[in-house]
Amino acid sequence: MPFALPRALGFARPGEAPSATATTPTAHIGLGLAAVGRPGYINLHRDRDLPGVRSVEALRERTHELLDAAYAQGVRYFDAARSYGRSEEFLAEWLTAHPEVRDVVIGSKWGYTYTADWSVEAEAHEVKDHSLATFERQRAETDALLGERLDLYQIHSVTADSPALTDKDLHARLAALAAEGVGVGLSTSGPAQADAIRAALAVTVDGEPLFRTVQATYNALETSAGAALAEAHGAGLTVIVKEAMANGRLAGTEAPAVVQEIAAEAGPGSDAIALALVLHQPWAGVVLSGAATVDQLAGNLHAAVVDLDEEQRARLDALVEEPGAYWRHRAGLPWS
């Protein structure tokens, strides 16, 4: 059965009534927890964004503040991952503290193992493995934290050569998970995202498509997956966009001059312009904010009411980089 995301946008799982929650512009923006579930990440200016002491308790408190603010302002999709440090744990604690919150969609990802041991200086922060054994281990870990609140489980950072696209035993186990009521999807990364997306669209189990969502990087600098994401949307998948601000390269004073100029014309900040450009794509179901502060989140949410005109979008189109160059630059960003 198709899995639609999010229910707060009027969708429902089989056997459920559609949500009575009114659709609001900010429901199309989700909150990703990559930047606050662990002390180290590759977003720019983390020294300004996070508490001076990045203890577990400090980041737990920051995560809960963000979740409170996001929910209050209409955000209804929250995104975690096994490799985002303690993101699932922090999210699970927030959900437990708010039993009245039942109109949200909770997504997580498996396939990377967090290896930094809460250190910014770790030699390796995460290790990728898309094997069936890793799925079984991490599925149990996620279940212990999120239990029945998990709505969507995605394979983390699939590339066209990932064994996750050809492993029939894994596909059968993922199909069984879907039969239990958890949506199955994948996220992609790298300059050949389009190839991975199209390969995923061809994966079936017993004649039925396996994947119901795809989460991909798309922003003003990196648009190469756009056509493939449109195809995924046309095939009935929900598209979730990550890294819409290119790990901070499109925010604040880091943003290219044209983004800052359009921000001055339109009123909100550069971050809202970057997010609005992605929200404008007809195939974009949910666009993730990676905010690390409540103020950043508020600025991001202004994107929901930004109406970029054709001339402004054309000016932003000129920013597109060659995919290989974009991903090399991203690979060079320091963990901080």
Side-chain angles (χ1 to χ4, degrees), residues 189-233:
S189 63
Q193 287 188 108
D195 293 339
I197 293 165
R198 293 185 172 111
L201 292 177
V203 175
T204 61
V205 175
D206 296 332
E208 294 293 325
L210 176 60
F211 299 112
R212 303 313 310 159
T213 67
V214 58
Q215 180 170 320
T217 295
Y218 183 95
N219 56 56
L221 306 177
E222 163 51 320
T223 64
S224 64
L229 291 172
E231 292 168 25
H233 173 75

Side-chain angles (χ1 to χ4, degrees), residues 174-200:
L174 291 172
L177 180 64
E180 295 168 10
V182 177
V184 170
L186 74 157
S187 75
T188 63
S189 63
Q193 287 188 108
D195 293 339
I197 293 165
R198 293 185 172 111

Side-chain angles (χ1 to χ4, degrees), residues 198-331:
R198 293 185 172 111
L201 292 177
V203 175
T204 61
V205 175
D206 296 332
E208 294 293 325
L210 176 60
F211 299 112
R212 303 313 310 159
T213 67
V214 58
Q215 180 170 320
T217 295
Y218 183 95
N219 56 56
L221 306 177
E222 163 51 320
T223 64
S224 64
L229 291 172
E231 292 168 25
H233 173 75
L237 278 70
T238 298
V239 174
I240 307 167
V241 177
K242 61 186 174 76
E243 300 182 349
M245 286 185 290
N247 301 100
R249 293 178 62 195
L250 294 168
T253 57
E254 293 290 342
V258 65
V259 178
Q260 296 187 53
E261 291 164 5
I262 294 173
E265 296 165 7
S270 299
D271 56 340
I273 300 303
L275 285 167
L277 178 68
V278 183
L279 284 166
H280 176 77
Q281 305 305 317
W283 40 258
V286 176
V287 180
L288 295 180
S289 162
T293 73
V294 170
D295 285 346
Q296 286 178 352
L297 176 66
N300 291 177
L301 294 179
H302 285 143
V305 294
V306 172
D307 186 17
L308 297 173
D309 63 33
E310 186 175 345
E311 185 271 339
Q312 290 169 328
R313 293 196 300 272
R315 287 155 63 192
L316 293 170
D317 287 344
L319 295 174
V320 174
E321 298 178 356
E322 188 275 324
Y326 174 88
W327 288 96
R328 284 192 296 274
H329 187 286
R330 184 187 183 281

